[in-house]
Amino acid sequence: MCGIIGYIGNKSACDVVLNGLRALEYRGYDSVGIAYMDNHGASKVVKQAGRVEGIYPLINKANLQSHVAIGHTRWATHGSPNIINAHPHINGDGSILVVHNGIIENYLEIKQELTKNGYTFISQTDTEVIPHLIDYYSKHLGTFEDALTAALNDLKGAYAVAVITTKEPDKIYAAKLSSPLVIGVGKHNEYFLASDPNAILEHTKKVVFLEDYDLAIISRDKLFLKDLHKNIPKHPKAELLDYDRDKVVLGDFPNFTLKEIFEAPVAIKAATLGRIQADKGIVKLGGLEIVATQLKLIDRIVIVACGTSYYAGLVGEYLIEEFASIPVEVQLASEFKYRKEPFSRSSVLLTISQSGETADTIAALNKVKDYGCLRLGIVNATGSSVARLTDAGVYCHAGPEQAVASTKAFISQVTVLILIALYLSDGTNSYRKLLKELELLPGKAQKVLDQADKIKSIALKYKNYKDFMYVGRKYCYPCALEGALKLKEISYIHAEGYAAGEMKHGPLALIDKDFPTLALATDSPELDKTISNLEEIKARGGPLVIIASEGNKKITKLADDLIYLPETMEQTQPILSAIVLQLFAYFIAEAKQVDIDRPRNLAKSVTVE
Ligand code: F6R
């Protein structure tokens, strides 16, 4: 989604900003722009619909020496992705230049007011009100800082903004509300600005995370911070990030989606590394140690997440209830915030997020801020907003996920949920067996990947169907939902996920020879019931692709196509099945020659609600 980079210092600001924007590209965007001050303090804007590379040739060589610049990658919310709607947006005389992440919810009212006052708008964006509003206040208030403060205090919604002005060409102004923004402190009179710290890690690890209602005024040799509401100065608290930016290279893979699917075995290993000792029956989660005593007193867990992370949460619900006997419910973050349900101090809010920047998930955390309950996170991106907002948590350690569609993150989220279920368990049930199985799982995941050619040939057989049904029971049910999501988002084919037992309550009406079903029918106590559901689909002429446990012969006669999973426990089946479903969706998308890493209309990190 939208990204912001800024730089002030002795280096070429345009270079730093464009490289930073490149680092944010994987998040998905549709247009890009940069604003900088030339050597005479005049402002320049270069923007276009399309990719960051396209901007380089448009910048005058002489201006590559500019020392102040802000840049933006836009993912369209208000108005289509074109050059006019791309950021930066400017006021009438081009003296105020703004890039913005988030959504200004009251932009229409502001626009109306400003229009009455003679302002003209050229874009369809919410952002364009910001430079005009600052301009308006500049005419009525003393300093640029006063005007900006007044303008920001009028905005409702979410924003991270960077502003430069020809009135003060040696400064960058930055502010945030519910949208992340971090300032990197460079070594030699320089500062960096980014909506994601990873994008500036190559320059500095010393950063100041802006808090809501902070306004930063950045010059080459000074960072001044103030509280916008109270209008009083604040001391900038610099911290040292203790992680490195993992080098992301494609290697021999044609794209990141396939690479990341093939990283499943490594993702499982990384999630369990140093956390389990199967022979001793030990699960150690360092990230939960500080809340270990509180965790003994909890009586309810509410898992909140979006998309694929939500489906991982549904697997977690079965796991935690089965192993820790704690009631769990899973809610979509985008709905959670509207509920007025009772939430006691003995409840836990457990958020799951790959990026740690998903706006709805952050809103859920903010909602319960004053409830006195524990707020935990299962997060992949180190140092992200969710990681920072939670009291404690467990990192996935899956490494950066670049492709928009989440694959290895799901694998590691479910692995971590198994660890948490075991950690909260009193050691009963199949505790030791599951722990042992976790050690064997990377090898089994590799065996699934070794079947990629077979899965590809089945996928190609089905590539021209327009609709798909995905079904499963119990642990396989969330997997059916996730499989359908994967197919929809990367191949643009309509797919629905259903609990197998629900088929005859409605969706069975859809089934005919043109509506294939991908059935998760791995070994479990419920398998016979699932088989009955599949018989009902077969009886209606629906083609069946079945994922079954190795050696299960009962299923053979039902399946039009059959993919075997290595024998594993019921609780770990979602991990192995997910790899099959990811590959199936991938190969259909590949056959359709679409941009698999960056599906249309989607973004990696969904930073707007
Ligand atoms: C689907 C996908 C999305 C994300 C969702 C949550 O493949 O990637 O559904 O899972 O946007 O994102 P995170 O996990 O970053 O909060």
Side-chain angles (χ1 to χ4, degrees):
M1 229 163 218
C2 300
I4 291 178
I5 300 287
Y7 177 76
I8 181 163
N10 296 325
K11 299 191 177 98
S12 159
C14 293
D15 266 345
V16 173
V17 167
L18 290 173
N19 281 336
L21 292 178
R22 275 215 167 117
L24 296 177
E25 279 194 300
Y26 76 97
R27 296 159 71 108
Y29 68 103
D30 40 54
S31 48
V32 56
I34 179 167
Y36 54 94
M37 293 297 167
D38 73 9
N39 296 337
H40 312 289
S43 66
K44 300 270 185 268
V45 171
V46 180
K47 55 184 186 173
Q48 64 162 22
R51 300 270 173 235
V52 177
E53 306 84 273
I55 290 285
Y56 278 96
L58 305 176
I59 297 178
N60 182 323
K61 277 266 169 340
N63 288 327
L64 278 173
Q65 296 319 314
S66 158
H67 298 297
V68 181
I70 53 175
H72 190 262
T73 45
R74 173 175 188 253
W75 184 84
T77 55
H78 297 65
S80 49
N82 57 33
I83 185 167
I84 292 174
N85 290 330
H87 300 207
H89 288 281
I90 58 175
N91 65 329
D93 65 8
S95 61
I96 302 168
L97 306 96
V98 176
V99 293
H100 161 229
N101 287 357
I103 289 181
I104 305 303
E105 286 165 5
N106 58 339
Y107 85 102
L108 279 176
E109 294 128 66
I110 297 175
K111 197 169 177 173
Q112 266 168 12
E113 244 355 89
L114 289 169
T115 309
K116 275 191 222 152
N117 281 283
Y119 284 85
T120 320
F121 290 81
I122 55 165
S123 80
Q124 297 156 291
T125 65
D126 52 339
T127 304
E128 199 185 357
V129 300
I130 305 175
H132 290 307
L133 192 59
I134 304 169
D135 182 282
Y136 170 81
Y137 279 120
S138 296
K139 297 195 163 82
H140 297 83
L141 299 171
T143 63
F144 184 77
E145 180 189 328
D146 291 339
L148 178 59
T149 305
L152 292 171
N153 278 328
D154 278 358
L155 304 181
K156 294 205 175 91
Y159 61 74
V161 286
V163 184
I164 55 175
T165 172
T166 51
K167 293 168 190 161
E168 298 175 19
D170 290 325
K171 283 183 186 154
I172 298 179
Y173 287 83
K176 80 147 234 150
L177 174 63
S178 303
S179 200
L181 202 56
V182 64
I183 295 169
V185 184
K187 287 196 186 79
H188 313 290
N189 286 347
E190 60 177 357
Y191 287 97
F192 302 82
L193 186 68
S195 49
D196 174 352
N198 284 298
I200 52 169
L201 269 186
E202 64 173 289
H203 301 290
T204 180
K205 288 188 176 174
K206 191 172 169 191
V207 296
V208 176
F209 282 94
L210 292 190
E211 291 172 5
D212 282 352
Y213 303 110
D214 277 355
L215 170 65
I217 306 172
I218 313 163
S219 343
R220 284 188 204 208
D221 55 356
K222 193 172 167 205
L223 168 61
F224 173 80
L225 210 58
K226 79 168 191 179
D227 182 310
L228 272 171
H229 266 173
K230 299 184 189 140
N231 208 7
I232 49 168
K234 277 180 78 172
H235 178 66
K237 274 185 270 158
E239 47 190 284
L240 223 46
L241 296 176
D242 62 355
Y243 54 88
D244 283 312
R245 187 169 166 215
D246 296 300
K247 266 230 162 333
V248 184
V249 281
L250 206 45
D252 292 335
F253 288 95
N255 50 51
F256 282 105
T257 310
L258 193 62
K259 175 177 186 269
E260 287 161 6
I261 295 173
F262 271 81
E263 281 172 1
V266 180
I268 302 166
K269 264 191 214 146
T272 53
L273 192 73
R275 290 173 171 167
I276 57 171
Q277 278 178 271
D279 49 342
K280 297 197 179 120
I282 292 174
V283 177
K284 234 177 126 208
L285 294 175
L288 296 183
E289 280 310 301
I290 48 162
V291 294
T293 321
Q294 273 166 284
L295 282 173
K296 290 198 178 15
L297 305 171
I298 62 170
D299 56 15
R300 176 183 176 228
I301 296 177
V302 180
I303 296 179
V304 174
C306 302
T308 291
S309 300
Y310 169 77
Y311 296 141
L314 290 176
V315 180
E317 178 175 23
Y318 288 105
L319 284 164
I320 296 172
E321 291 193 339
E322 182 175 346
F323 282 84
S325 298
I326 300 169
V328 180
E329 68 197 76
V330 192
Q331 297 193 30
L332 289 165
S334 55
E335 286 297 315
F336 174 74
K337 57 193 168 195
Y338 306 120
R339 293 179 64 146
K340 303 241 181 307
E341 84 282 26
F343 216 94
S344 75
R345 293 167 74 94
S346 50
S347 299
V348 167
L349 184 85
L350 172 58
T351 50
I352 306 177
S353 177
Q354 187 289 125
S355 63
E357 300 298 351
T358 301
D360 287 318
T361 309
I362 292 172
L365 279 166
N366 286 332
K367 174 183 162 180
V368 303
K369 195 162 71 187
D370 301 322
Y371 289 10
C373 64
L374 261 185
R375 299 187 300 165
L376 304 180
I378 298 175
V379 178
N380 191 36
T382 29
S384 55
S385 299
V386 172
R388 297 166 59 75
L389 283 168
T390 41
D391 303 308
V394 184
Y395 275 123
C396 291
H397 296 316
E401 195 178 58
Q402 296 275 314
V404 164
S406 193
T407 53
K408 64 172 175 173
F410 177 83
I411 304 293
S412 58
Q413 286 166 346
V414 174
T415 309
V416 167
L417 282 158
I418 294 176
L419 295 179
I420 292 179
L422 292 173
Y423 180 82
L424 296 175
S425 154
D426 58 9
T428 52
N429 299 330
S430 324
Y431 177 98
R432 276 197 181 243
K433 195 172 167 213
L434 183 53
L435 205 44
K436 198 120 208 78
E437 185 62 14
L438 275 182
E439 286 195 327
L440 303 175
L441 210 56
K444 295 186 180 181
Q446 188 54 52
K447 279 195 176 155
V448 178
L449 290 166
D450 292 345
Q451 296 188 69
D453 286 345
K454 178 180 176 188
I455 297 168
K456 180 172 183 170
S457 65
I458 297 174
L460 293 183
K461 209 173 131 184
Y462 288 87
K463 71 177 195 310
N464 292 324
Y465 283 91
K466 300 262 180 297
D467 307 280
F468 272 86
M469 187 65 74
Y470 283 66
V471 297
R473 268 175 194 269
K474 202 178 166 191
Y475 282 104
C476 291
Y477 164 51
C479 237
L481 300 176
E482 169 59 8
L485 174 64
K486 225 62 325 155
L487 189 70
K488 283 187 261 225
E489 68 181 329
I490 64 172
S491 76
Y492 315 149
I493 293 177
H494 167 237
E496 303 213 26
Y498 261 94
E502 274 294 295
M503 284 301 286
K504 51 182 164 301
H505 296 290
L508 201 54
L510 292 168
I511 297 298
D512 63 14
K513 65 176 183 19
D514 297 321
F515 208 130
T517 297
L518 216 147
L520 293 134
T522 38
D523 288 357
S524 75
E526 297 75 35
L527 180 58
D528 285 341
K529 294 215 180 339
T530 304
I531 289 179
S532 306
N533 303 136
L534 301 189
E535 296 276 12
E536 288 152 12
I537 291 170
K538 187 92 188 152
R540 271 104 192 143
L544 274 173
V545 182
I546 300 182
I547 301 177
S549 297
E550 205 162 37
N552 188 318
K553 296 272 184 302
K554 274 201 256 179
I555 246 118
T556 323
K557 65 172 176 30
L558 266 179
D560 292 287
D561 289 284
L562 187 60
I563 300 159
Y564 275 131
L565 283 192
E567 179 280 325
T568 190
M569 288 175 72
E570 225 193 318
Q571 294 82 2
T572 41
Q573 282 166 359
I575 293 179
L576 299 186
S577 306
I579 302 172
V580 176
L581 300 174
Q582 291 166 3
L583 285 171
F584 185 80
Y586 174 84
F587 288 125
I588 292 190
E590 185 190 52
K592 294 184 82 180
Q593 298 186 325
V594 292
D595 185 346
I596 307 182
D597 279 352
R598 293 179 195 156
R600 67 184 181 204
N601 308 337
L602 299 180
K604 183 67 186 157
S605 186
V606 184
T607 48
V608 292
E609 288 178 37

